[in-house]
Amino acid sequence: MNKPSIYGLTLEQLTGWLGERGYSKFWATLVWEELYRRRVTDFERMTEVKPEIVQLLSEQFVMHTLSEHVKQESRDGTVKFLLRLQDGNLIETVLMRQKYGMSVCVTTQVGCNIGCSFCASGLIKKSRDLSAGEIVEQLMNVQLYLDQRGQDERVTHTVVMGIGEPLDNFEHVSNFVRIIKDHKGLAIGPKRITVSTSGLPEKIKEFADSDLQVHLAISLHAATNDLRTRIMKINRAFPIEQLMEAVDYYVERTKRRVMFEYILLKDVNDRREDAVELARLIAPRRGSSSINLIPYNPVDEHSQYQRSEQESIVAFYDILKKNGINCTVRLEHGTDIDAACGQLRSKQMKKDAADRKQVTAG
Ligand code: SAH
Ligand code: SF4
């Protein structure tokens, strides 16, 4: 059996694990600092920690279960990593340079069962959830890449918006958040962490009741059930009324604002009447939400959808603004490098398969 990644333990779990073996919290904190502050890349470099503890850790855990398969660097500074898991599956992680800092987008599942009609990630059914360690490792992979550049750059923000539905992998995603938030470690503030969901009402309520206290983004993409069901089949199981009831509960419980994500698909959900419907739906939640309009990144397999024209985006935005709704248009990152989540992976898998064929034929 493969050894688990040490990055999968919360500080509390590490303290418990070492405690059971007779070592005090002091040692757990020291190991934690070696991992996340000094950011050593293998156990032998944990020079601050007693050798017998290092020995114990290296017998039971590994530090790196992911390996880099492909890395694409965009002209705007975006870096996309295609990483190979121990079982051979590929996942994506993206580093985006923003005005306010360095943001990383992480993957939470291998594939996605929600299967939204516009998304490249949903093309491949979920084969498994990622462990907390595999999600933390993605972030560490990026942080170590920055460390190697030697410019003292830190990952400051995290968005859980890569492949997969995070709330369908609730426990591991929650532990991931606990690990990266920990103020003795990476200390990424809860206000700088956003989890995006396609909208699972019961899970949203559980999320609201949890200790995580991070931001929530809802992939809305349509304001009526007819339209939303057409583009996101999950809406059949959880219609907009049920979703909004959970969102209202989240706001009430956490006193936080939610962000609604709305991809603009040409002539599908970007018409004036769609903006009016959206304004109507969000108006009662004006004070507690904002809308992020997302220009669609075309996906080869979903050729029925195209990106909205610039004029439609502006007109849509204006209608929302006139209705007093907080609204932004998402700036794009790395459009020259297969930026939409799941795209690099699906393209690379096709390419790898073609290469294998060639090798077999040759
Ligand atoms: N499963 C979660 C999180 C991952 S998807 C969710 O759906 O929220 C993250 C965001 O990217 C979602 O808002 C999703 O709708 C959006 N997205 C998916 N495919 C896209 C594409 N081709 N272009 C632009 N945004 C896309
Ligand atoms: Fe899954 Fe999100 Fe893509 Fe929908 S948009 S298929 S929920 S990853």
Side-chain angles (χ1 to χ4, degrees):
M1 212 183 89
N2 289 332
K3 293 183 203 171
S5 167
I6 185 132
Y7 291 117
L9 299 183
T10 60
L11 178 54
E12 202 183 338
Q13 288 168 334
L14 179 65
T15 308
W17 192 87
L18 283 172
E20 281 165 21
R21 285 151 187 86
Y23 298 104
S24 69
K25 185 161 186 197
F26 167 82
W27 291 107
T29 310
L30 215 52
V31 170
W32 194 258
E33 285 174 2
E34 293 277 53
L35 287 173
Y36 297 109
R37 288 286 165 94
R38 278 191 63 216
R39 297 192 286 278
V40 298
T41 48
D42 54 59
F43 287 108
E44 286 74 63
R45 294 187 199 199
M46 290 191 169
T47 48
E48 303 285 312
V49 182
K50 261 192 205 177
E52 64 194 64
I53 298 183
V54 175
Q55 173 73 21
L56 202 57
L57 290 172
S58 63
E59 278 166 15
Q60 299 294 326
F61 300 99
V62 285
M63 280 184 77
H64 305 287
T65 64
L66 306 185
S67 57
E68 210 168 278
H69 184 52
V70 173
K71 179 162 74 208
Q72 289 185 337
E73 303 188 272
S74 158
R75 283 187 292 277
D76 66 11
T78 303
V79 188
K80 194 147 192 170
F81 301 86
L82 192 63
L83 304 171
R84 195 179 283 290
L85 302 169
Q86 259 174 341
D87 60 11
N89 277 306
L90 295 174
I91 57 163
E92 289 180 21
T93 310
V94 187
L95 163 66
M96 291 162 287
R97 284 166 201 275
Q98 310 275 16
K99 276 198 229 70
Y100 48 77
M102 298 277 188
S103 179
V104 170
C105 176
V106 293
T107 286
T108 54
Q109 297 180 318
V110 181
C112 182
N113 277 347
I114 309 289
C116 301
S117 64
F118 48 82
C119 176
S121 304
L123 285 170
I124 300 147
K125 280 226 154 288
K126 178 184 97 168
S127 58
R128 70 174 177 89
D129 289 333
L130 293 194
S131 65
E134 287 168 325
I135 313 174
V136 177
E137 262 195 64
Q138 293 173 57
L139 202 145
M140 287 308 292
N141 186 73
V142 176
Q143 184 58 63
L144 294 172
Y145 160 85
L146 292 173
D147 289 348
Q148 268 169 17
R149 290 162 48 93
Q151 294 176 8
D152 206 19
E153 295 168 313
R154 291 276 323 277
V155 173
T156 55
H157 291 70
T158 301
V159 289
V160 185
M161 293 189 184
I163 303 166
E165 168 47 53
L167 297 190
D168 181 40
N169 183 12
F170 197 92
E171 197 189 323
H172 295 158
V173 169
S174 300
N175 276 346
F176 159 72
V177 169
R178 290 187 186 105
I179 293 165
I180 66 165
K181 256 172 60 168
D182 195 291
H183 65 271
K184 291 197 178 83
L186 294 171
I188 300 177
K191 289 196 180 123
R192 296 173 165 194
I193 302 172
T194 304
V195 174
S196 173
T197 176
S198 57
L200 312 178
E202 284 314 308
K203 295 287 175 188
I204 292 172
K205 290 185 185 167
E206 206 179 321
F207 189 72
D209 291 336
S210 76
D211 60 333
L212 300 175
Q213 297 295 306
V214 297
H215 282 302
L216 181 66
I218 305 284
S219 294
L220 188 59
H221 310 325
T224 63
N225 281 321
D226 272 357
L227 187 56
R228 194 164 187 267
T229 303
R230 232 175 82 202
I231 61 181
M232 297 175 76
K233 61 182 196 256
I234 184 80
N235 195 69
R236 212 184 298 274
F238 305 117
I240 292 178
E241 300 72 38
Q242 234 174 302
L243 172 58
M244 287 300 161
E245 196 236 325
V247 168
D248 293 343
Y249 177 86
Y250 169 87
V251 171
E252 175 63 31
R253 194 68 216 269
T254 62
K255 308 284 179 244
R256 279 175 186 270
R257 299 158 75 94
V258 285
M259 181 172 82
F260 293 103
E261 297 162 277
Y262 195 102
I263 298 182
L264 288 162
L265 304 165
K266 185 177 174 193
D267 300 333
V268 174
N269 68 353
D270 70 343
R271 302 157 304 174
R272 301 184 69 81
E273 57 265 38
D274 299 315
V276 171
E277 285 289 355
L278 181 60
R280 195 173 303 155
L281 177 67
I282 302 303
R285 304 170 175 91
R286 260 192 208 103
S288 58
S289 68
S290 62
I291 297 179
N292 195 208
L293 299 175
I294 309 175
Y296 181 58
N297 253 307
V299 174
D300 291 350
E301 289 81 352
H302 302 312
S303 57
Q304 74 274 33
Y305 295 126
Q306 283 102 44
R307 168 182 292 236
S308 296
E309 307 289 347
Q310 194 59 26
E311 304 93 81
S312 321
I313 301 181
V314 173
F316 201 96
Y317 174 87
D318 283 346
I319 293 174
L320 295 175
K321 278 286 179 192
K322 278 197 190 105
N323 282 278
I325 289 169
N326 295 310
C327 175
T328 50
V329 179
R330 181 174 293 175
L331 282 177
E332 292 175 89
H333 292 274
T335 36
D336 53 325
I337 55 161
D338 302 319
C341 276
Q343 263 187 348
L344 173 59
R345 172 175 184 253
S346 83
K347 279 196 190 168
Q348 189 65 36
M349 281 169 72
K350 275 188 255 168
K351 187 169 170 293
D352 288 353
D355 288 351
R356 270 199 301 276
K357 249 196 207 146
Q358 252 180 6
V359 171
T360 332

